[in-house]
Amino acid sequence: MSDQSSTSSPSLTASTPPSSVPSPELKKLNLGGDVTEEAKQEALRLKAEANKAFTSHDFKNAARLYSEAIEHNPNDATLWCNRAYARMKLEEYGYALADANQAITLDSKYVKAYYRRATCYMQIMKPQQAVVDFKKILSLEPHNETVRSQMVSTQKLIRKIEFEKAIEVEGEKDPVIRCREMIEEGSCDVDATYSGPQLPSENGKYYMTLQFVQEMIQWFKDGKTLPKRYVWEIVMGAYEHFIKEDSLVNVNIEEGVTCDVIGDVHGQFYDVLHLFSLTGPPGEKHYLLMNGDLVDRGSWSIEVILLAFAYKWLYPKYMYINRGNHEAKDMNRTYGFEGEAKHKHGEQSYKLFAHVFTTMPLATLISATQPPSSKDDAILSPQGFKRFFVVHGGLFSKDGVTLEDIRKIERVGKQPGTEGLMCELLWTDPQEFPGRGPSKRGVGISFGPDVTKAWCTLNGVTGIIRSHEVRQDGYQIEQGGLCTTVFSAPNYVDQGANKGAFIRIDSKGNREYTQFEASPHPPMRPMAYVQGGLGSLMMM
């Protein structure tokens, strides 16, 4: 596809503070008022259409149709509950939570609404509130053993979180140091019976080769795992390069060089292999930048992250990886990576991954080194070139944040949390209307086109490239061309019916968009390694 360069946005109003209204539609509706029989019938017709769209996995259209039905009959609790479900599928957990609340307000004994609200609380890392809703369901349906099991699992999760926090307060040894000690002690040697790819070594020190990467890929395709020692070496090999990089990495695209920006891949290993067949491997003339969320949800997250880290170890100046909101402990605990890592390689391996995730850069500035191909109204760097700010989530709750502010963020050993610059870099989303608004996810904020234009102008950035959200076509150019979302996990969690895409940038700052379809994979469901019976809840 041809380049679609950024264009100047129309004049927009100044940024507004975040709104406290959880759902844009609530304040417009005549809640509790009389509804005519004609309006009720029209709402039922729209509901039937929405149900069909939902069944076809067209969740965006389903949410729109439920909204139209609500406008005709805002007193029908099922419409709010159904829209909550559609919004959950769109990962709009903040909005879904508001819808479930409204359904419960209309019908205080609506079990399904409590269940969906509990699911939203789990998704936004508030398990204690989920337990309250599970208990309410059991008071209404005492024999619901599925919910009882999920409540027990959630209570165990809460105790585990509290235990981990206590350990962190006491101070646990750096996992990289501990793994090196265990290697020195001889407690992580490669088993003599191992017959897979051999990681080469020289003078007792391992190093990475392209041949090993290729053999590792085939080994993974055969359904086999690497020895724990090799896993540790790969993770620490990537770590040695991450730890030297700033929180904002500069990547200059010289003449004859291209860089591919890849969005979320979420443990979909077989789609990643297809994707890399389209991009080609990283190399001197062709860089790769993976823009976060390599793990969780998909059940081959270990294979995906080891492949990415192996390339980072082998080609540190050609392979770049940004941290996403899923390279974080609370998300890994909920969405499967922790369970997968422990299942395949043990507790210490997971601790190593979790720490190294904190060393990954938070954003990358891709800078062209040649004048633009055409004169347009693009915002350019001080040197007159195009450059793109690549970050997993987006922009900030306050004005005036500079590239230097981002570069100086202290990230190592830290989790994103629910506020501050790191959280916003990894969690925020664009919105169509000006100013700033509440997060549809329940974490972070939404930022409008005026916010984006002001930030790009302040920092001499041509546009923002971010990921973090499914796009049915794999990518979407938004906010007058200043913000582009790219998503690289086709048929997301085996039900999105979306395409994947990546963006190629050349030395003049031209962008080319490539879409691709999902690839077949072995019969394993998404989030197969979610612990404690919460998998079905997470796949709601």
Side-chain angles (χ1 to χ4, degrees):
M1 295 187 179
S2 60
D3 172 56
Q4 300 188 40
S5 298
S6 299
T7 56
S8 177
S9 298
S11 178
L12 296 165
T13 58
S15 296
T16 55
S19 166
S20 60
V21 180
S23 177
E25 293 87 352
L26 270 174
K27 59 186 177 182
K28 301 176 184 176
L29 298 171
N30 182 24
L31 295 167
D34 291 334
V35 178
T36 66
E37 190 59 36
E38 183 182 2
K40 289 179 182 178
Q41 290 304 314
E42 179 61 12
L44 288 173
R45 186 190 69 78
L46 288 163
K47 176 184 173 183
E49 281 190 38
N51 291 347
K52 253 186 223 181
F54 189 97
T55 303
S56 301
H57 292 177
D58 186 357
F59 304 123
K60 187 173 182 180
N61 199 34
R64 179 185 63 79
L65 288 163
Y66 288 131
S67 295
E68 290 181 19
I70 287 168
E71 287 174 9
H72 284 85
N73 186 7
N75 299 331
D76 185 344
T78 62
L79 298 177
W80 293 92
C81 192
N82 286 6
R83 188 173 70 173
Y85 200 11
R87 285 175 156 177
M88 287 159 64
K89 291 293 187 182
L90 294 167
E91 300 192 1
E92 297 178 351
Y93 301 116
Y95 285 173
L97 193 61
D99 285 348
N101 281 335
Q102 186 58 32
I104 290 166
T105 299
L106 292 167
D107 182 355
S108 62
K109 295 184 178 180
Y110 196 173
V111 166
K112 194 177 286 185
Y114 285 109
Y115 190 77
R116 288 185 179 154
R117 189 168 73 176
T119 305
C120 288
Y121 282 136
M122 291 297 295
Q123 304 276 10
I124 62 173
M125 290 85 71
K126 294 183 177 180
Q128 292 91 343
Q129 289 170 265
V131 168
V132 174
D133 279 340
F134 288 143
K135 287 180 177 177
K136 178 64 177 179
I137 294 169
L138 290 172
S139 73
L140 296 168
E141 294 185 353
H143 303 297
N144 192 326
E145 294 306 317
T146 299
V147 169
R148 191 176 305 279
S149 171
Q150 289 170 342
M151 183 182 73
V152 170
S153 295
T154 306
Q155 289 170 327
K156 287 180 181 176
L157 176 65
I158 292 167
R159 288 195 292 271
K160 179 184 175 191
I161 293 168
E162 290 171 350
F163 176 71
E164 288 177 354
K165 284 180 179 175
I167 290 176
E168 285 174 7
V169 169
E170 292 171 10
E172 191 175 23
K173 185 172 284 189
D174 181 317
V176 172
I177 294 172
R178 181 61 190 135
C179 286
R180 286 176 175 158
E181 286 177 349
M182 292 173 73
I183 289 170
E184 287 295 318
E185 294 163 2
S187 58
C188 192
D189 291 341
V190 178
D191 194 292
T193 61
Y194 170 68
S195 60
Q198 300 294 314
L199 188 62
S201 64
E202 187 173 344
N203 299 323
K205 189 171 183 179
Y206 285 107
Y207 62 94
M208 182 56 64
T209 64
L210 182 57
Q211 179 181 342
F212 179 85
V213 173
Q214 293 167 339
E215 291 176 355
M216 179 181 71
I217 289 170
Q218 186 57 53
W219 189 249
F220 288 159
K221 287 171 70 176
D222 292 340
K224 299 175 181 177
T225 58
L226 291 178
K228 187 187 298 182
R229 175 66 179 276
Y230 285 5
V231 171
W232 291 8
E233 293 290 345
I234 292 169
V235 177
M236 291 190 291
Y239 161 84
E240 290 296 338
H241 298 291
F242 290 141
I243 202 71
K244 296 171 187 172
E245 293 175 330
D246 290 330
S247 289
L248 173 64
V249 173
N250 287 332
V251 176
N252 295 326
I253 308 300
E254 303 292 342
E255 190 170 7
V257 175
T258 57
C259 179
D260 289 347
V261 180
I262 295 165
D264 303 36
V265 294
H266 276 298
Q268 297 185 193
F269 178 63
Y270 294 87
D271 292 314
V272 169
L273 295 183
H274 180 213
L275 168 62
F276 283 178
S277 76
L278 299 174
T279 64
E284 187 178 1
K285 294 294 184 182
H286 181 61
Y287 306 162
L288 295 182
L289 168 54
M290 300 188 77
N291 194 28
D293 280 14
L294 283 72
V295 301
D296 279 338
R297 295 197 179 273
S299 294
W300 292 275
S301 292
I302 283 289
E303 288 78 4
V304 168
I305 198 69
L306 287 177
L307 177 56
F309 280 5
Y311 273 138
K312 181 64 180 178
W313 187 12
L314 180 61
Y315 301 126
K317 295 302 179 186
Y318 312 142
M319 180 71 176
Y320 297 92
I321 309 173
N322 286 341
R323 188 179 185 182
N325 68 306
H326 276 266
E327 279 74 45
K329 278 186 176 180
D330 49 9
M331 302 300 278
N332 296 160
R333 186 186 295 122
T334 304
Y335 292 96
F337 180 70
E338 178 180 346
E340 182 182 347
K342 290 179 178 178
H343 175 81
K344 293 178 178 177
H345 300 293
E347 174 90 24
Q348 187 61 34
S349 299
Y350 171 68
K351 289 181 178 180
L352 179 63
F353 276 112
H355 179 69
V356 173
F357 286 165
T358 74
T359 69
M360 292 163 63
L362 304 176
T364 300
L365 188 66
I366 297 179
S367 299
T369 59
Q370 307 294 312
S373 299
S374 59
K375 290 190 179 289
D376 51 28
D377 294 325
I379 300 167
L380 302 178
S381 71
Q383 294 76 29
F385 303 134
K386 289 185 177 182
R387 60 182 183 176
F388 302 94
F389 179 70
V390 185
V391 66
H392 183 71
L395 296 181
F396 312 100
S397 59
K398 62 181 182 180
D399 296 329
V401 177
T402 66
L403 295 173
E404 194 59 26
D405 292 332
I406 298 164
R407 196 181 317 279
K408 291 178 178 176
I409 293 173
E410 294 182 4
R411 69 188 191 277
V412 177
K414 300 182 184 299
Q415 299 299 321
T418 56
E419 60 183 13
L421 293 185
M422 188 193 303
C423 168
E424 290 169 357
L425 284 165
L426 303 188
W427 273 97
T428 58
D429 297 296
Q431 64 184 26
E432 294 179 7
F433 45 90
R436 295 179 173 94
S439 167
K440 57 193 174 189
R441 299 174 186 271
V443 181
I445 61 153
S446 296
F447 57 94
D450 58 330
V451 175
T452 304
K453 186 177 182 183
W455 188 86
C456 288
T457 302
L458 173 68
N459 288 285
V461 167
T462 307
I464 296 163
I465 297 174
R466 42 90 62 183
S467 303
H468 196 38
E469 291 183 280
V470 180
R471 292 293 185 262
Q472 287 305 116
D473 292 326
Y475 74 98
Q476 185 176 354
I477 300 167
E478 306 169 66
Q479 297 190 337
L482 288 177
C483 180
T484 300
T485 298
V486 59
F487 193 82
S488 304
N491 194 31
Y492 180 45
V493 292
D494 288 352
Q495 59 180 260
N498 59 291
K499 295 178 182 177
F502 65 91
I503 305 172
R504 179 161 294 176
I505 302 173
D506 68 14
S507 62
K508 295 183 177 181
N510 298 317
R511 284 158 287 167
E512 181 183 344
Y513 304 84
T514 301
Q515 300 167 298
F516 59 97
E517 301 284 352
S519 298
H521 63 72
M524 180 176 285
R525 63 181 175 81
M527 292 194 288
Y529 298 96
V530 172
Q531 298 168 309
L534 292 172
S536 60
L537 185 67
M538 293 299 100
M539 283 297 289
M540 277 289 294

